[in-house]
Amino acid sequence: MTYPYRPSSTSPDNPGPNPGCRPDAPAAPLLNPADAAHELVSPRALTHVRGLPPDDLPAYVYDLDGLEAHVAAVRSALPPAVELYYAAKANPAAEILRAIAAHVTGYEVASGGELAHVGSAVPGAPLAFGGPGKTEAELRRALDLGVQRFHVESEHELRLLIGLVAARPDADARPVGVLLRVNLPAEPDAGPPVGGHGSPQRESDSEHVPTQRVAPESGPGASPRPALAMGGLPSPFGLDPDQLRRLLPAFAEEGAATRAGLRLRGIHAHLASGLDARAQLAVAGRIAGFARTLATEAGPWFAAQLTEVNVGGGMAVDYGRPGERFDWAAYGTGLGELAARYPEFTLRIEPGRALAAYCGWYVTEVLDVKHSQGEAFAVLRGGTHHLRTPATKGHDQPFAVLPVDEWPRPWPRPAVTGEPVTLTGQLCTPKDVLATRVPTERLRAADRVVFALAGAYAWNISHHDFLMHPRPVFHYLGSAPY
């Protein structure tokens, strides 16, 4: 086999994404690279990849029809009243944003650059502006663009926003909606982090927010774990509950924020990434419970204003088990039950990776195969300056090999057969590694390698200009004019 593979756990009860984004999944371990390609790459993308000329490599290939179908399936799995925002930071390509526009409520942006870009790519779409360290210029630009929701992360940020809104001549005409971002502390008996589907966990684990910042384990026997704890620990993100409560008087009937034209609409939290559906629901329930307690403590004025709860994103994408998917059906059912328990709130989620990752691939070719001190290495065109995801998250990026029969050189073709191989790029650093000691049947110079799950946090987080190698070519496949 050509990547750390486990048979798919999806079933009629947990179908994963729409088939437009999902390749055929075999019931047994892969036997050859062609099977790996069909498992990891959609039919449309695979046909396109096979036809790419060598001069077009490396390349990113996105199946936009598959992406749209996947997001449509996610939307249909959610209760109609739950709002679905796409976290643009996952992949802000205009083609991606437009492909999903019909199926999302809006977009979450986290910088002035994203704000302007998303506003231009999907004009008129609702925007929520989050992230720490917003500058005065960014806040002013967001007000000019009519951003629907500001996720306020600190007292200083709130004061900046109050001053800017108060100075606007149209402040009374269109109140500015604010969600206060809370950093809820970890519960005292939280225990170890919650795993993804199929990982060992105690029954009580699913009731708690993870308390550690952890990277996922990698390798054939690894269990998925939360990639990152965004809350429950000292953090630059959001407000501690007591800090948040101290800001409430500004939103009172005669408070400074209210007089300026701001309205407190609700609470925002993003406590962890890489959680399965059960753990995500536990987190969402805790956030909604905090919001109700806050509204009750603050009194009728605040209870009438505080009507929205954004529980964030962070739905698990398992790079070690690429055939597995977040259980959107179970999550949607659970959110429906949560909405029934908290009818005073509109619930909102903002996934990014779990929407876009599966419909993008990074395609390259093997430049050289060599051995060093008994270990095999394949040097690929490109590297982590194009696809930084495995270096950032510390995993092996799942891949398939597309054999190329032609070998135009007069000397023997460098190859490795029947042994583990480490896939590296062209950079002058030992950290330029895409997959480590992965078992493979055969890998040769000039063969093509297709890395899956490259649709999110891939090109856009990479250090593109290091060593000034050429940038990849981008291919967006779709029947509609995205």
Side-chain angles (χ1 to χ4, degrees):
M1 55 186 172
T2 60
Y3 69 100
Y5 169 78
R6 285 143 190 86
S8 172
S9 67
T10 54
S11 68
D13 297 324
N14 177 22
N18 187 285
C21 198
R22 179 176 176 76
D24 297 331
L30 305 177
L31 299 176
N32 59 62
D35 287 339
H38 287 292
E39 165 70 1
L40 289 174
V41 190
S42 75
R44 176 194 291 269
L46 185 58
T47 298
H48 188 81
V49 166
R50 292 188 189 278
L52 287 176
D55 288 345
D56 268 11
L57 300 178
Y60 269 96
V61 176
Y62 302 96
D63 184 346
L64 297 183
D65 287 350
L67 171 65
E68 183 185 8
H70 172 51
V71 178
V74 170
R75 175 65 267 180
S76 68
L78 300 174
V82 171
E83 296 184 349
L84 172 63
Y85 274 59
Y86 172 65
K89 65 178 71 68
N91 188 333
E95 293 84 355
I96 299 290
L97 301 176
R98 289 193 287 264
I100 66 175
H103 309 292
V104 298
T105 312
Y107 300 83
E108 185 266 339
V109 298
S111 73
E114 284 190 352
L115 182 69
H117 172 73
V118 177
S120 174
V122 280
L127 302 179
F129 189 17
K134 301 179 187 69
T135 68
E136 184 173 346
E138 288 176 325
L139 292 171
R140 185 179 292 109
R141 177 62 171 159
L143 291 168
D144 290 341
L145 291 175
V147 165
Q148 280 72 19
R149 292 293 180 265
F150 288 80
H151 298 165
V152 170
E153 306 245 355
S154 73
E155 179 180 352
H156 172 68
E157 183 180 310
L158 179 59
R159 291 182 182 276
L160 275 177
L161 191 56
I162 289 173
L164 291 171
V165 174
R168 297 175 68 83
D170 61 345
D172 293 334
R174 187 172 58 188
V176 174
V178 168
L179 273 65
L180 297 177
R181 179 170 178 174
V182 64
N183 177 20
L184 293 177
E187 296 184 346
D189 58 343
V194 181
H197 178 85
S199 63
Q201 62 179 8
R202 297 197 315 264
E203 184 69 21
S204 61
D205 287 346
S206 64
E207 302 303 320
H208 303 294
V209 177
T211 59
Q212 303 175 44
R213 293 186 181 90
V214 295
E217 298 174 5
S218 60
S223 295
R225 307 172 68 194
L228 191 67
M230 302 285 289
L233 297 164
S235 169
F237 306 113
L239 297 143
D240 292 349
D242 59 334
Q243 295 171 338
L244 186 150
R245 288 183 171 93
R246 288 199 295 269
L247 297 186
L248 292 182
F251 293 95
E253 192 167 5
E254 296 300 324
T258 304
R259 293 197 310 271
L262 276 73
R263 297 293 183 269
L264 178 61
R265 299 304 188 193
I267 296 298
H268 171 260
H270 184 120
L271 301 183
S273 293
L275 300 181
D276 65 9
R278 186 181 180 192
Q280 281 283 2
L281 289 169
V283 169
R286 188 166 176 228
I287 297 167
F290 171 81
R292 174 179 282 177
T293 298
L294 184 71
T296 302
E297 292 174 350
W301 167 263
F302 289 98
Q305 292 189 82
L306 207 157
T307 59
E308 301 173 12
V309 176
N310 185 328
V311 300
M315 292 72 184
V317 171
D318 193 338
Y319 292 84
R321 294 174 173 84
E324 296 190 359
R325 299 292 189 268
F326 184 82
D327 192 342
W328 286 105
Y331 185 63
T333 299
L335 283 182
E337 296 170 355
L338 191 66
R341 292 204 304 271
Y342 295 93
E344 69 269 36
F345 298 137
T346 295
L347 300 181
R348 182 177 303 132
I349 64 173
E350 50 184 39
R353 190 189 308 268
L355 296 186
Y358 298 102
C359 295
W361 297 267
Y362 177 61
V363 188
T364 187
E365 65 177 344
V366 181
L367 296 176
D368 197 3
V369 178
K370 57 196 294 187
H371 284 78
S372 175
Q373 299 186 25
E375 291 196 21
F377 292 84
V379 181
L380 310 183
R381 189 184 299 276
T384 56
H385 56 303
H386 293 168
L387 177 63
R388 189 160 179 77
T389 321
T392 300
K393 291 177 64 65
H395 64 237
D396 296 325
Q397 193 75 15
F399 68 91
V401 176
L402 299 184
V404 174
D405 293 333
E406 294 79 11
W407 176 246
R409 311 296 183 186
W411 53 82
R413 189 174 186 177
V416 59
T417 302
E419 63 178 296
V421 60
T422 295
L423 276 61
T424 72
Q426 294 175 279
L427 302 182
C428 299
T429 168
K431 295 183 179 181
D432 188 20
V433 177
L434 297 159
T436 303
R437 301 185 184 92
V438 177
T440 185
E441 288 185 347
R442 185 177 67 173
L443 187 61
R444 305 166 298 177
D447 283 341
R448 295 188 176 185
V449 179
V450 184
F451 290 96
L453 276 65
Y457 295 102
W459 166 252
N460 61 310
I461 67 167
S462 304
H463 48 305
H464 309 146
D465 294 328
F466 185 45
L467 296 192
M468 302 180 70
H469 284 292
R471 296 193 171 200
V473 181
F474 291 81
H475 301 259
Y476 297 93
L477 313 180
S479 56
Y482 299 112

